[in-house]
Amino acid sequence: MAEEFTEKVVRLIRSIPKGKVLTYGGVAALAGNPRGSRQVSRILHSMSRKHRLPWHRVINSKGRISLPHPSDYEEQRRLLEQEGVQFSLSERIDLGTYMWIPGREE
DNA sequence: TAAATGACAAGTG
DNA sequence: CCACTTGCCATTT
């Protein structure tokens, strides 16, 4: 079913370890659709808070938070910093340090 | 049925 | 690093 993709995305996001992050494109690729980054963002936008997902652990490929609304942006940053994720002076996260690679230590 | 939309990404200058 | 463009694709209008 096409719902497979959504299911995988949800499970994947739920398995991101605390203190680690994944990009929208990364989630899409791991879920089987390398071109589905925009769908991942849509899924999060609609079901995130509800499914009790660590939605804040998903950021864009540039290592930055993509939330348009200021208050949401601040909330995501706060949640990440709370888990030990460091932001650079330019509001960026070092993907080489924090990006989660499934199967690598967990 | 067609056009617009969006929590994206990669390429270019 | 920033601004802009192009490619993407399911869901909404």
Side-chain angles (χ1 to χ4, degrees):
Chain A
M1 314 299 190
E3 302 301 320
E4 264 308 307
F5 184 65
T6 301
E7 288 295 319
K8 287 184 178 179
V9 168
V10 172
R11 282 201 296 278
L12 216 38
I13 293 176
R14 234 188 336 231
S15 55
I16 301 175
K18 184 158 71 167
K20 288 289 184 178
V21 300
L22 267 189
T23 62
Y24 296 90
V27 171
L30 291 171
N33 181 358
R35 308 276 168 96
S37 58
R38 309 193 79 154
Q39 277 51 254
V40 170
S41 70
R42 178 178 52 71
I43 291 169
L44 274 132
H45 180 63
S46 56
M47 346 179 78
S48 65
R49 301 194 183 255
K50 204 174 172 188
H51 278 256
R52 291 176 191 170
L53 297 175
W55 58 275
H56 57 284
R57 296 180 188 147
V58 184
I59 61 181
N60 66 31
S61 66
K62 296 184 178 65
R64 310 182 70 180
I65 289 174
S66 281
L67 301 187
H69 200 276
S71 61
D72 291 331
Y73 182 100
E74 286 306 320
E75 181 181 11
Q76 178 165 14
R77 172 163 183 164
R78 182 170 51 66
L79 289 169
L80 286 171
E81 292 184 313
Q82 204 172 311
E83 301 184 343
V85 176
Q86 302 275 327
F87 281 74
S88 72
L89 297 174
S90 51
E91 306 282 289
R92 228 166 290 162
I93 294 172
D94 185 85
L95 293 178
T97 301
Y98 300 103
M99 183 159 73
W100 177 55
I101 310 294
R104 200 181 65 174
E105 29 226 308
E106 304 287 314

